[in-house]
Amino acid sequence: MARPRQALLTKERIVEAAAALIDAEGLDACSMRRLATELGVQGPSLYNHFATKAEIVDAVAEVVVAQVDISVFHGNDWREALRLWAKSYHAVLAAHPNIVPVLATGPGRRPAGLAMAEAVYGALIDAGWSRARATHIGALMRYLITGSALGSFALGFDADPELYDHYPHLHRAHELAAHRDAVDEGAFQLGLDLLITSLSDRYDLGVRR
Amino acid sequence: MARPRQALLTKERIVEAAAALIDAEGLDACSMRRLATELGVQGPSLYNHFATKAEIVDAVAEVVVAQVDISVFHGNDWREALRLWAKSYHAVLAAHPNIVPVLATGPGRRPAGLAMAEAVYGALIDAGWSRARATHIGALMRYLITGSALGSFALGFDADPELYDHYPHLHRAHELAAHRDAVDEGAFQLGLDLLITSLSDRYDLGVRR
DNA sequence: GTGCTTAAACTAGCGGCGTAAGTTTTTACA
DNA sequence: TGTAAAAACTTACGCCGCTAGTTTAAGCAC
């Protein structure tokens, strides 16, 4: 087939298919040939629309980050805004866990990531935090959110019960996987609570740097 | 060459070379052929000592985690122990950043990882935290530590100043990379402080579940 | 309308990847 | 001393990202 009368591919179609493939089968499954197959096309044809595979994956990351609600930074106290944003971010990553390793390396040049950084940092600055502290708080929130999204704590423990025979306190660790949601959600909620309440305490004491 | 009079490879030599290669050039550079070359051997020879590449990488992760100081859980108050352990863990990961993605998926079946989980969880249980809360706190610490080790927050922002023209609060974001250590260390220290002091407050109030 | 440039598909192929299979030689033990 | 296991080798398979060159259609200038 040479150039078709109607283009088979668009950037949007490619990104959509890549996102679906990554969600369904993981980053490794999303090879250029496989992705092309999903789109009914040969592998190298994708290079007519993206220069590299990294650009495609980046575009997927972009649409995922764009789903995070940053409107909460308007009209809310910085504490409440931070909490709502973190929950939204966490929920988005929970819905697309396979792309998290890409996001964990930072906003890079992605508009949605930069817009999010702008919103978070701006809100903290406007609240009166020093530039250094606002940066730290932003980084810290990212550590918590991506750290929790990156690998399930509960699933990090092998399910083989015998493995824990020699670790007296871990004798029920093989049950963690069954309570995955409660464990991982509970830890995230606790972390968010602890961080925001203690930041709030400092703030109220006037310690903003 | 057939079987040599003196074995060219041992598990230890392979793991040592793999660790050095990963530290120096990253996970991607550590291919079976490349690793074999470093050891003066052909690629498939490695399979006489390890069944898969994953086993080699896992062994590297094991020796890295084994460097974390878990002796601090003996003879220290749980708060102080947690703080000292977290700093040690953080320092180890900072010294071997390229292996962090492997650790971030959890202890799996690695003895050092399990021993660490045992020490942390055991200390929290012994201090009087409920099983659920001890699990949450352990997970939370891992989120903070691996989250901060995984990707530098400071380096996550592209160095191109023009990129930030349309983000009023980010106009100095391109300078972050230059202060990478201060930013990343400051955020981690802040997070550790906030988490431990607020956990300590709850604990002192008798809220241990 | 004709001709030129560009776009978007194709096929073929390069070097690298993890790993399987089979070969050769040495070592260790019955 | 004969045999089995160990540890190196070579060869090869099917993936991978990506490049080069080809073909045909589309869009635009004159």
Side-chain angles (χ1 to χ4, degrees):
Chain A
M1 189 198 316
R3 175 172 183 174
R5 292 158 196 282
Q6 176 67 25
L8 302 177
L9 299 176
T10 63
K11 285 203 172 201
E12 288 70 27
R13 276 199 71 216
I14 294 171
V15 173
E16 191 180 344
L21 187 50
I22 290 171
D23 279 346
E25 304 187 33
L27 267 179
D28 288 348
C30 186
S31 72
M32 295 300 269
R33 288 170 175 85
R34 174 69 194 280
L35 176 56
T37 299
E38 299 287 326
L39 289 160
V41 125
Q42 298 298 317
S45 298
L46 296 169
Y47 289 95
N48 285 312
H49 301 267
F50 289 94
T52 64
K53 180 186 177 180
E55 274 190 15
I56 297 178
V57 174
D58 232 50
V60 173
E62 170 72 9
V63 308
V64 169
V65 173
Q67 295 171 30
V68 178
D69 183 9
I70 57 171
S71 75
V72 295
F73 288 103
H74 294 116
N76 279 300
D77 174 76
W78 68 270
R79 293 159 256 236
E80 184 62 7
L82 220 49
R83 184 187 307 273
L84 292 171
W85 161 71
K87 292 182 88 158
S88 170
Y89 198 171
H90 179 74
V92 168
L93 297 196
H96 306 282
N98 295 335
I99 195 71
V100 174
V102 178
L103 304 182
T105 61
R109 312 179 62 88
R110 294 188 291 271
L114 294 173
M116 194 164 77
E118 165 76 17
V120 175
Y121 184 75
L124 292 168
I125 291 294
D126 291 347
W129 288 99
S130 71
R131 285 200 292 263
R133 266 316 188 218
T135 305
H136 291 160
I137 295 170
L140 192 46
M141 297 300 290
R142 193 164 75 88
Y143 297 161
L144 175 68
I145 294 164
T146 63
S148 69
L150 194 74
S152 157
F153 181 80
L155 294 186
F157 288 84
D158 197 284
D160 177 8
E162 291 184 24
L163 199 57
Y164 306 105
D165 283 351
H166 299 89
Y167 303 98
H169 289 98
L170 301 184
H171 67 283
R172 294 177 61 188
H174 66 281
E175 299 173 11
L176 277 173
H179 307 96
R180 171 190 182 163
D181 285 356
V183 171
D184 291 336
E185 277 303 310
F188 176 75
Q189 291 295 337
L190 176 64
L192 194 54
D193 266 8
L194 293 175
L195 288 182
I196 291 184
T197 59
S198 55
L199 278 174
S200 186
D201 288 349
R202 289 197 182 196
Y203 183 86
D204 291 338
L205 287 170
V207 184
R208 300 176 191 178
R209 39 182 289 137
Chain B
M1 189 195 319
R3 176 172 180 174
R5 293 156 195 283
Q6 176 67 26
L8 303 177
L9 299 177
T10 63
K11 285 203 172 200
E12 289 69 28
R13 277 199 70 215
I14 293 171
V15 173
E16 192 180 345
L21 187 50
I22 290 170
D23 278 347
E25 305 187 32
L27 268 179
D28 288 348
C30 187
S31 72
M32 295 300 268
R33 288 170 175 86
R34 172 69 193 280
L35 176 56
T37 300
E38 299 287 327
L39 289 159
V41 125
Q42 298 297 319
S45 298
L46 297 168
Y47 288 94
N48 286 311
H49 302 268
F50 288 94
T52 63
K53 179 185 177 180
E55 275 191 14
I56 298 179
V57 173
D58 232 48
V60 173
E62 170 72 10
V63 308
V64 169
V65 172
Q67 296 171 29
V68 177
D69 182 9
I70 58 172
S71 74
V72 295
F73 289 103
H74 295 117
N76 279 302
D77 174 75
W78 67 271
R79 294 159 254 236
E80 185 63 7
L82 220 49
R83 185 187 307 273
L84 291 171
W85 161 72
K87 292 181 87 158
S88 170
Y89 199 171
H90 178 74
V92 168
L93 297 196
H96 306 282
N98 295 335
I99 195 70
V100 175
V102 178
L103 305 181
T105 62
R109 314 178 61 88
R110 293 188 292 270
L114 294 173
M116 194 163 79
E118 165 76 16
V120 175
Y121 184 75
L124 292 168
I125 291 293
D126 291 346
W129 288 99
S130 71
R131 285 200 292 263
R133 266 314 188 218
T135 305
H136 290 161
I137 295 170
L140 193 45
M141 297 301 290
R142 193 165 76 87
Y143 296 161
L144 175 68
I145 294 164
T146 63
S148 69
L150 195 76
S152 158
F153 181 80
L155 294 186
F157 289 83
D158 198 284
D160 178 5
E162 291 185 24
L163 199 56
Y164 306 106
D165 283 352
H166 300 89
Y167 303 98
H169 290 98
L170 300 184
H171 67 283
R172 293 176 61 188
H174 67 281
E175 300 173 10
L176 276 173
H179 306 96
R180 171 191 180 161
D181 285 356
V183 171
D184 291 337
E185 277 302 310
F188 176 75
Q189 291 295 338
L190 175 65
L192 193 54
D193 267 8
L194 294 175
L195 288 181
I196 292 185
T197 59
S198 54
L199 279 173
S200 186
D201 288 349
R202 289 199 182 195
Y203 182 86
D204 292 338
L205 288 170
V207 184
R208 298 175 192 180
R209 39 181 290 138

